[in-house]
Amino acid sequence: MPFDFKPLASGLGPRALEQLCQIAKKAGTAILEVYNGEIAVETKSDNSPLTAADKASHQVIAAGLEALTPEIPILSEEGKDIPYQERKNWRRFWLVDPLDGTKEFIKRNGEFTVNIALIEGGAPVLGVVYVPVQDKLYVGVVGQGAYVQQADAQPEPIQVRTPDAQAGLTVVMSRSHPSPELAEYLKNIEVAEALPVGSSLKLCVVAEGRADLYPRLGPTMEWDTGAGQAVVVAAGGTVQTPDGAPLGYNKPSLLNPHFIVRGARA
């Protein structure tokens, strides 16, 4: 495998990690088949958009993970609703967003991703984020490191950067979900540059040292953040609630609290 990772405690070895990356890429191919044609949009019960690409990607990922690790359950945005009483005893599970950034997908700006995370003990330990339009793959294993791979090129290690206190911070913000809370939060920060970015790419931008801070003071779900959080933490950063607690997973409600993604501390 091109990524220099040791086997995980869960027993996933290099071969399984390679297969996981291939599953994400195969899902990306299914998404692009829809993206390059006519996009029909449905509306889910929470008023969020749903396309055939979301469904096709979910089917690819679910089939791939069930074949790869039949013993590990899957929690996917487009899968069945699994009650907390059933999943509360899961020691580990796959957390999947088959198409993160559906609004960006519909706008055809390319800023959407495939997210697959392995959650153990309420925290992401492995994350794969694939950007289909760019053929760009981010992989992070907490405690071992993070990499980015462009197409078939050699993977390159990535890490968060230490901000320049005098120059100010480069701050990532949502392209499609602005909030008054964010505007208020940024009043107390020296912002040198603001980067509007879609989907879980916001976390990856911090992980690869292109930005210093991503405050998310609006609603997200666990599947929106699991894979990206693993990449950020593996790259040396943090994903925490405003009071400094780690962003946790497999809660009774899958809605995330507000959180702050940070690179290295100055």
Side-chain angles (χ1 to χ4, degrees):
M1 182 178 182
F3 300 103
D4 186 20
F5 293 131
K6 300 174 184 176
L8 298 179
S10 59
L12 290 177
R15 176 61 180 161
L17 293 175
E18 181 181 2
Q19 290 174 311
L20 183 63
C21 293
Q22 292 306 313
I23 290 169
K25 289 189 172 187
K26 186 176 179 182
T29 299
I31 289 171
L32 290 179
E33 289 178 359
V34 180
Y35 187 69
N36 294 326
E38 183 175 344
I39 300 175
V41 182
E42 303 174 30
T43 302
K44 295 193 285 188
S45 58
D46 62 356
N47 290 322
S48 62
L50 176 68
T51 71
D54 297 81
K55 299 176 184 178
S57 178
H58 166 77
Q59 291 171 356
V60 168
I61 295 169
L65 292 178
E66 286 166 2
L68 178 64
T69 54
E71 74 283 5
I72 301 179
I74 302 167
L75 182 62
S76 171
E77 179 179 12
E78 307 308 339
K80 67 174 183 177
D81 183 24
I82 301 174
Y84 180 64
Q85 288 301 312
E86 178 179 343
R87 57 181 171 80
K88 68 177 181 178
N89 296 319
W90 288 357
R91 184 176 65 84
R92 58 178 176 162
F93 65 96
W94 293 111
L95 181 62
V96 175
D97 192 340
L99 201 173
D100 183 34
T102 301
K103 290 184 178 180
E104 315 307 331
F105 175 87
I106 294 168
K107 294 174 185 175
R108 298 184 189 271
N109 66 16
E111 292 184 349
F112 52 87
T113 57
V114 175
N115 296 340
I116 306 174
L118 181 65
I119 309 297
E120 291 188 348
V125 297
L126 162 67
V128 172
V129 177
Y130 182 58
V131 192
V133 168
Q134 301 178 27
D135 194 9
K136 193 173 188 179
L137 183 74
Y138 295 90
V139 183
V141 176
V142 174
Q144 296 195 43
Y147 292 80
V148 63
Q149 183 182 32
Q150 183 70 58
D152 294 326
Q154 281 295 110
E156 298 181 0
I158 57 174
Q159 61 182 26
V160 298
R161 73 185 186 189
T162 301
D164 184 334
Q166 293 183 333
L169 302 181
T170 297
V171 179
V172 184
M173 55 190 63
S174 175
R175 188 178 293 281
S176 296
H177 302 277
S179 72
E181 292 88 350
L182 175 61
E184 185 66 26
Y185 178 86
L186 293 178
K187 287 181 179 178
N188 300 315
I189 294 174
E190 184 67 33
V191 179
E193 183 181 6
L195 294 178
V197 180
S199 72
S200 61
L201 277 171
K202 293 184 286 294
L203 290 96
C204 295
V205 165
V206 175
E208 62 183 335
R210 290 169 48 206
D212 306 298
L213 183 70
Y214 165 39
R216 183 55 184 247
L217 306 180
T220 59
M221 303 298 289
E222 290 188 7
W223 45 68
D224 294 321
T225 56
Q229 179 171 340
V231 174
V232 169
V233 174
T238 59
V239 182
Q240 299 173 328
T241 62
D243 61 5
L247 190 62
Y249 290 80
N250 203 21
K251 305 182 300 296
S253 168
L254 296 172
L255 182 68
N256 284 327
H258 293 173
F259 61 88
I260 313 294
V261 180
R262 293 184 175 89
R265 300 283 185 165

